[in-house]
Amino acid sequence: MGKKKVTSKTKINKKELQAMVTAFLTKHPEDTFTLKQFFSALSLTSHPLRMLCVDVLNELLEQGLITRNLEGEFMYDAKMHMMEGTFNRTSGGRNFVDTDDGKGISVYDEDTLHALPGDRVKVNLLAKRRGSSKLRGVITEIVKRSDKTWIGTLQVQEERAYLLVPNVSMQHDIAISKDKLLGAKNGEKVAVRVVDWPMDVRNPIGEVTEVLGKSGDNETEMHAILAEYGLPYSYPKEVEAAADKIDPGITPEEIAKREDFRDTLTFTIDPRDAKDFDDAISIKKVKDGVWEVGVHIADVSHYVLEGSIIDQEAQKRATSIYLVDRTLPMLPERLCNFICSLRPNEEKLTYSAIFNLNEDAEVLNYRIKHTVIRSDRRFNYEEVQTVLEAHGEATECQLIAEGKEKPTEPVLAQEVSAETVQPEAETYANELIVLNRLAKKLRNARFKCGAINFDREEVRFEIDEKGKPLSVYFKRAKDANKLVEEFMLLANRIVAESVGKTPKGVTPKVLPYRIHDIPDPNKLENLAVLAARLGHTLRTQGSREDVAKSLNKFLADMKGDRAEELVENVSLRAMQKAKYSTYNIGHYGLAFDYYTHFTSPIRRYPDTMVHRLLTRYEEGSKSASQKKYEALCEHSSSMEQLAAAAERASIKYKQVEFMADKLGEEFDAKISGVTEYGIYAEIDENKCEGFIAVRFLGDEAFDYDDRNFRLVGRRSRHTFTLGDAVRIKVASANLYRKQLDYELVKKLTPDVTETTPFYNSFKDANAKKLKGKGKKSKSRKKK
């Protein structure tokens, strides 16, 4: 019997033995063991197995997973390898823990301890596999269950009900006792909170917290999207009641404290359907060659006092939310659409950045003041665009690349009916032309300094009164939009500089900045490889300005190329996300050393924070608490991301709904995403994106080449690359999962093979790199 046992044990491989050693040590934390004790405890009787065990222990020592005392005994220090973090699951079904120190630890399904996404957990690190840099662990404790609400469709059965959750991060349906349904009926959309999940039970146990309504109803589905991301879809009555009590009147005493712009030409420029006008622009000629331009922002902080019930709600929301068919405002409607809105011919309190600019749009001087204005006119973008075009001013802003200006092309305006553009708009043509010319010079100056130029279309839907999408159209920024944008950017920059830019040795006071870090180095290198493959050169080293100018030149050179969309997508993925912080690092994308958000306090809480701090510092008070404002910045950044995710989800829902009656129809599309599981294709005419599983791409296996953003057939070497043109057929439109599935009809872009110029440019570029490396290695040998 003993010999048989030893014979069996000799078949253990290193991976299995490592697992045995780790499991043994984790069961005996703080205990110490000699080699002989290991051999005995693990029944390692043969010499090869004992030597293998010594190798395993040495590797665990190198990885820091075990320690050795002065007597040579081995021990596992559980405290050293126990970490806390938040459990999550990817859309591909992979589990991981985001630890507090920024590590990502992979967790197998059997090691999750029934953790759910968002749960606070303790995770025990395991030994790394040889050749792998990935961390793996086992969850040992669920410290705190997440209060996340799960949204889905209720399925009521005889004994109990279940919540069917479309979110792939929830692997199991949630079981609900019939006395916990809140009156919800079979097939309805509900919100459910998980209350328990015993280890011996297959499904988590939950209770209904809210009945959202009938599945498929537009109101229900939009509320479900908001609830899924933990966002509100109604306003508390007590907050609206508080807003109703606010006196909108402006006293003579208040006007006396402010700089008066009521007699200076001032107007607003906003979307056609806007009601919350939170910014206005004034213009006045000071003397020949000098213009005074005022950027006037609704003085929300005058009406919303810090700590009030309205302020608490605004702080919690942090941002207005924009879904396909509605806006969920940060402030009560009476404030954002009436009291604070800079409506024409009404006296309004504002906080203003006023500049004197010369003809080259250089800031000669500025002041930041509390003001009172009376807007002369409310413009929409289409009106301003039409006025500019009528005077030959609507041209695409000149881009700067390699220190020289590129020729400009006319911008076509959206079709605007005669009723939309009122005749008196022409009265302000001269002022609009001056502002447009100054805005272009401001824009050019930004690009000269290294600002990145991404100019992408936004998808919009025309919907009926029931929320059904009737058609898709695209919104692209034109000169009228860019005119407003440039003066808002200028105001935000100058306000940030007024606090953050201090003499050497002087610590700047606390201010929330809008920061944007440099691109991800690895992703930028991947973009450079792509550029080389397309016959271009992209700098990844050097100053910020040099790298940004090189990227702008690459983007400009790719305009109209079949790979334009591919290049734009990969470039965007290389960029970091902008966020709020009191620790200033500048804004890479805008090429500003100092930047904040000052211009939209009606819809962004950080702008209100900035207004309050500016007022505080103007009054001579000391710097605010950095800890307090950093926490508010983190919260605002988090809420901004949730609001953006909800907006994308609402667009995706409407895209699926729009395509639901087009099953079997064929469309031209472009590959918009590549994964190891398949490709995403975006239809050219409506930007609706769907998935094509890898099994439908051909009768062979495909390898995922992530460095070149493509799938490659193992036998045929056929490629499917990001940006390739394809012909697709709509296979399914699943509203439950907000998912479109397509079938590949044919690929329209030729494969990249060794016979195509596309391939050769890539091959030549890499050959040069290899040749250069070879020369260097030769010179080293000679030395």
Side-chain angles (χ1 to χ4, degrees), residues 5 36 45 133 167 212 239 246 264 270 277 311 409 412 427 536 546 569 645 766:
K5 186 176 181 181
K36 284 186 178 180
T45 55
S133 60
N167 190 328
L212 298 171
V239 180
I246 294 176
T264 302
D270 291 280
F277 313 137
D311 181 56
E409 295 179 358
L412 298 178
T427 308
H536 297 265
D546 290 340
N569 284 334
N766 282 287

Side-chain angles (χ1 to χ4, degrees), residues 32-53:
T32 59
F33 299 92
T34 64
L35 277 174
K36 284 186 178 180
Q37 287 171 327
F38 266 115
F39 299 157
S40 174
L42 299 176
S43 302
L44 306 178
T45 55
S46 70
H47 181 72
L49 273 179
R50 290 181 174 184
M51 291 302 97
L52 190 61
C53 182

Side-chain angles (χ1 to χ4, degrees), residues 763-774:
K763 185 172 72 173
D764 292 344
N766 282 287
K768 286 177 184 176
K769 287 183 182 178
L770 292 172
K771 193 175 179 183
K773 287 181 181 178

Side-chain angles (χ1 to χ4, degrees), residues 116 148-157 160-167 170-177 181 190-197 201-208 736:
L116 292 168
K148 176 179 172 62
T149 299
W150 296 93
I151 309 300
T153 304
L154 194 66
Q155 185 182 79
V156 181
Q157 299 180 358
R160 61 172 57 193
Y162 290 91
L163 182 75
L164 310 183
V165 185
N167 190 328
M170 172 61 83
Q171 290 182 310
H172 301 274
D173 298 334
I174 301 173
I176 309 166
S177 171
L181 295 181
V190 296
V192 168
R193 181 175 66 90
V194 173
V195 294
D196 195 13
W197 194 1
V201 175
R202 186 175 186 276
N203 299 84
I205 299 167
E207 60 185 19
V208 175
Y736 173 68

Side-chain angles (χ1 to χ4, degrees), residues 214-408:
K214 182 181 176 183
S215 292
D217 177 76
N218 183 67
E219 200 71 9
T220 298
E221 297 298 340
M222 292 301 107
H223 285 179
I225 288 170
L226 291 166
E228 182 180 351
Y229 291 98
L231 298 170
Y233 47 82
S234 60
Y235 224 91
K237 291 181 180 178
E238 61 271 22
V239 180
E240 289 184 331
D244 289 339
K245 294 176 183 175
I246 294 176
D247 182 2
I250 303 173
T251 65
E253 291 77 16
E254 185 60 42
I255 290 176
K257 298 176 187 176
R258 296 171 177 259
E259 189 168 343
D260 196 340
F261 276 81
R262 288 177 294 177
D263 294 328
T264 302
L265 177 62
T266 306
F267 41 74
T268 60
I269 308 174
D270 291 280
R272 198 184 313 175
D273 56 352
K275 294 178 181 176
D276 55 342
F277 313 137
D278 54 8
D279 59 80
I281 297 174
S282 68
I283 181 168
K284 180 173 69 177
K285 188 171 183 177
V286 177
K287 61 182 180 180
D288 286 346
V290 179
W291 297 88
E292 181 190 82
V293 177
V295 175
H296 307 282
I297 308 303
D299 194 355
V300 171
S301 61
H302 176 81
Y303 297 101
V304 180
L305 302 181
E306 188 169 8
S308 67
I309 188 172
I310 299 174
D311 181 56
Q312 290 173 29
E313 183 68 21
Q315 185 184 112
K316 185 168 74 173
R317 292 175 178 239
T319 179
S320 292
I321 304 160
Y322 299 90
L323 302 188
V324 166
D325 64 340
R326 69 194 65 199
T327 298
L328 289 304
M330 182 182 77
L331 296 173
E333 185 177 348
R334 186 164 185 266
L335 275 168
C336 60
N337 289 353
F338 173 54
I339 296 175
C340 293
S341 184
L342 308 182
R343 305 195 302 181
N345 303 313
E346 293 181 11
E347 292 183 351
K348 296 291 180 178
L349 300 181
T350 48
Y351 211 162
S352 307
I354 306 113
F355 316 96
N356 277 4
L357 302 170
N358 62 20
E359 294 288 357
D360 291 323
E362 294 169 332
V363 179
L364 304 177
N365 53 66
Y366 71 86
R367 60 193 188 276
I368 300 167
K369 296 288 184 181
H370 287 90
T371 54
V372 59
I373 69 166
R374 184 191 292 111
S375 173
D376 294 279
R377 196 180 193 285
R378 176 265 201 270
F379 282 105
N380 60 51
Y381 286 118
E382 291 82 4
E383 288 179 306
V384 174
Q385 186 71 26
T386 301
V387 170
L388 295 176
E389 287 178 5
H391 291 268
E393 289 291 323
T395 54
E396 195 64 70
C397 179
Q398 293 172 327
L399 301 182
I400 307 301
E402 290 188 313
K404 62 182 180 180
E405 297 182 353
K406 302 196 79 167
T408 61

